[in-house]
Amino acid sequence: MSLVKLSIKGISYSQTQNGAYALILNEVDGERKLPIVIGAFEAQSIAIALEKEIKPPRPLTHDLFKNFAERFDIVVKQVIIHKLVDGVFYSSIICERENVEEIIDARTSDAIALALRFSAPIFTYKNILDKAGIYLKTNNQDNDKDSQEIDDILSNPETFGIEDDHNSDRIYIKHSLQDLTELLEQAVSQEDYEKAAQIRDEISKRES
């Protein structure tokens, strides 16, 4: 299976779930986006890593992991989002120490938070992006709006609560597949990526 490189577009706050955020990943050589719902703590950690000027007075958990790894000459080489099951993304962290490679299972949000700190590339498999990617056609005005929203989020980090499990409340279970398709198009047009991710996951469950 071929790997597809991803970049981080930013983080979008959930309008439907308190404390939930959507991490937006971009296909590097394409126009699809991969929204992944993450918890508030992970969103804060990723936002701080993206905003280089923000320096926490004490190391966050992911900073501590990086310091620990560097002390023992462990390098994170890359992160691969390798599986999607029932709307949940599974990731692996590819590490190396003394030319010996190790693969460590991790939550996707943690893996990406670490990838940022090690300047490691992020990949997923083509079949996952084909299944879960959202194709958007945007104009310059839309891009400016997206950038402004993301800048606002990243420039105002907060202290949040515990992670919310976005799979615990299947609010779209009663909708037909046609209804879900229409709702997905509407969510995408409104740039509500977190909602789009939920609908996409429900569609994927029914088609699997």
Side-chain angles (χ1 to χ4, degrees):
M1 292 182 290
S2 60
L3 288 172
V4 179
K5 190 173 184 180
L6 302 171
S7 63
I8 298 176
K9 178 177 175 60
I11 303 171
S12 176
Y13 180 68
S14 168
Q15 300 298 321
T16 59
Q17 295 182 12
N18 292 331
Y21 290 75
L23 173 65
I24 313 301
L25 302 176
N26 270 354
E27 179 183 15
V28 170
D29 295 322
E31 299 184 30
R32 287 175 292 184
K33 291 180 173 60
L34 189 66
I36 300 176
V37 179
I38 63 175
F41 171 78
E42 292 78 11
Q44 183 188 36
S45 181
I46 291 171
I48 288 174
L50 287 170
E51 183 53 69
K52 303 299 184 183
E53 295 181 0
I54 298 176
K55 300 293 183 183
R58 300 293 295 162
L60 299 178
T61 301
H62 298 108
D63 298 318
L64 176 60
F65 183 96
K66 181 175 186 291
N67 295 339
F68 184 89
E70 289 182 336
R71 183 65 60 91
F72 291 94
D73 298 322
I74 300 170
V75 178
V76 172
K77 304 293 291 185
Q78 62 183 6
V79 163
I80 300 176
I81 304 171
H82 64 84
K83 186 168 64 174
L84 173 62
V85 178
D86 293 335
V88 179
F89 293 89
Y90 293 79
S91 293
S92 296
I93 301 174
I94 314 301
C95 302
E96 186 178 275
R97 181 175 185 266
E98 297 180 350
N99 296 321
V100 177
E101 187 176 275
E102 299 286 349
I103 301 176
I104 300 175
D105 181 50
R107 295 189 306 169
T108 297
S109 53
D110 290 328
I112 290 176
L114 291 173
L116 282 169
R117 286 163 169 79
F118 282 90
S119 299
I122 303 165
F123 297 93
T124 192
Y125 289 109
K126 182 179 182 298
N127 65 322
I128 293 178
L129 192 59
D130 289 341
K131 182 178 181 180
I134 296 175
Y135 184 82
L136 297 178
K137 292 182 179 180
T138 59
N139 54 39
N140 292 335
Q141 184 176 359
D142 291 332
N143 287 333
D144 291 342
K145 182 179 179 182
D146 284 348
S147 299
Q148 183 60 51
E149 289 178 353
I150 293 165
D151 287 344
D152 290 343
I153 292 170
L154 297 181
S155 62
N156 293 284
E158 303 172 39
T159 301
F160 305 105
I162 61 174
E163 182 170 356
D164 189 5
D165 184 355
H166 69 284
N167 296 295
S168 62
D169 184 14
R170 293 180 59 183
I171 59 176
Y172 301 106
I173 194 169
K174 295 182 179 179
H175 291 77
S176 68
L177 193 58
Q178 181 178 351
D179 290 339
L180 290 173
T181 302
E182 293 175 355
L183 287 171
L184 177 59
E185 293 177 355
Q186 182 181 4
V188 170
S189 66
Q190 294 174 350
E191 301 172 358
D192 189 344
Y193 300 129
E194 185 272 338
K195 182 178 180 181
Q198 284 186 321
I199 299 171
R200 174 208 62 201
D201 293 343
E202 181 64 31
I203 292 174
S204 296
K205 289 174 186 176
R206 298 189 189 187
E207 292 180 341
S208 60

